[in-house]
Amino acid sequence: MRDGSRTEHAQAEDAAFMSELLAGRVDERGYADYLLRLRTVYATMEAVVRENTDDPAVAAVFDPGLERLPAIDADLDHWLPGGPRTVDSPAAAAYRDRLTAAATSGGLLAAHHYTRYLGDLSGGQAIGRILDRGFGLAGRGLAFYDFPAVGRPKAYKDGYRARLDALGLSSRAIARVVDEVRVAFRLNQALFTELAASLPA
Ligand code: HEM
């Protein structure tokens, strides 16, 4: 999954919205717009994953301790107190529809699960620290990056990979999963493109 998405990952790292965010040039409203889109993604993903835990591929990765919806809601209370919790976003709607369609196959759901949560436990941890330092937040509004139930990310990611490997999927099934990881990256890229378009010039 990692090898198959290297190009897409490099593109995500280069996304203008990400560099603006990490350079401190996105304001509270811009960050809330990002969180609102992530809220759509995680609310859908966490619901379909919970509905499909009897599938072996979903069971291999399912962990309620990863779920981000409560953290996103806590962060939105900080960034957008009393504001809306939904957003009119074609990119988030497309991501939601793809997640719903992926519910027909545990492997496809695992692809989406991997793309978001392993990202959150990898580069996401560095992003959280940069935002904390850059904005002097002392952790406020950054629950999204905090995984109290996970422990050391490195050990967790090793265990996660081992559980996926132990599924013994055929090379054909693996190819489908990796293709879906690429799709998931493109859906994330589309979120960034949409967000960059609404940043002030
Ligand atoms: C500025 C943006 C980003 C930076 C700086 C970044 C950085 C990183 C780094 C350094 C790793 C490797 C960590 C390790 O070796 O354990 C990583 C892994 C990963 N990232 Fe990102 N990332 C970014 C954006 C994204 C996005 C947007 C996604 C997808 C939504 C994503 C998904 C992943 C995944 C799935 C992994 C795990 C790869 C694996 O070990 O199998 N990243 N990221």
Side-chain angles (χ1 to χ4, degrees):
M1 290 155 105
R2 175 169 51 193
D3 288 346
S5 62
R6 272 190 212 286
T7 307
E8 289 77 5
H9 189 272
Q11 286 164 354
E13 285 183 80
D14 284 346
F17 179 78
M18 263 298 148
S19 31
E20 292 299 295
L21 178 65
L22 296 178
R25 287 193 291 264
V26 173
D27 65 9
E28 285 86 350
R29 180 67 226 192
Y31 190 67
D33 281 344
Y34 175 47
L35 281 177
L36 286 169
R37 283 163 176 77
L38 290 181
R39 191 182 191 286
T40 302
V41 171
Y42 283 87
T44 310
M45 182 166 70
E46 290 170 1
V48 287
V49 163
R50 272 182 180 265
E51 282 159 17
N52 289 281
T53 48
D54 51 351
D55 183 289
V58 176
V61 294
F62 174 63
D63 177 357
L66 289 173
E67 291 181 348
R68 296 292 85 198
L69 189 55
I72 292 171
D73 280 337
D75 287 351
L76 281 167
D77 288 343
H78 173 89
W79 296 104
L80 201 59
R85 293 296 176 259
T86 55
V87 63
D88 183 11
S89 156
Y95 204 150
R96 181 196 59 214
D97 292 349
R98 185 75 186 195
L99 284 164
T100 310
T104 53
S105 149
L108 300 185
L109 280 185
H112 286 280
H113 192 278
Y114 162 86
T115 306
R116 281 303 335 176
Y117 295 118
L118 253 61
D120 297 336
L121 290 172
S122 304
Q125 294 300 295
I127 292 169
R129 284 192 294 274
I130 293 169
L131 295 178
D132 199 13
R133 269 202 308 272
F135 292 98
L137 293 165
R140 286 185 304 275
L142 297 175
F144 179 71
Y145 306 95
D146 186 23
F147 286 84
V150 160
R152 282 182 52 241
K154 162 90 174 72
Y156 189 89
K157 287 187 286 184
D158 288 347
Y160 186 102
R161 292 193 185 95
R163 292 196 301 279
L164 279 178
D165 287 346
L167 285 170
L169 297 183
S170 67
S171 49
R172 207 185 141 98
I174 290 173
R176 272 189 80 205
V177 172
V178 173
D179 279 347
E180 192 69 12
V181 170
R182 289 201 195 94
V183 169
F185 267 96
R186 283 198 287 276
L187 292 166
N188 280 283
Q189 194 70 29
L191 293 180
F192 292 147
T193 304
E194 198 178 78
L195 285 159
S198 59
L199 284 179

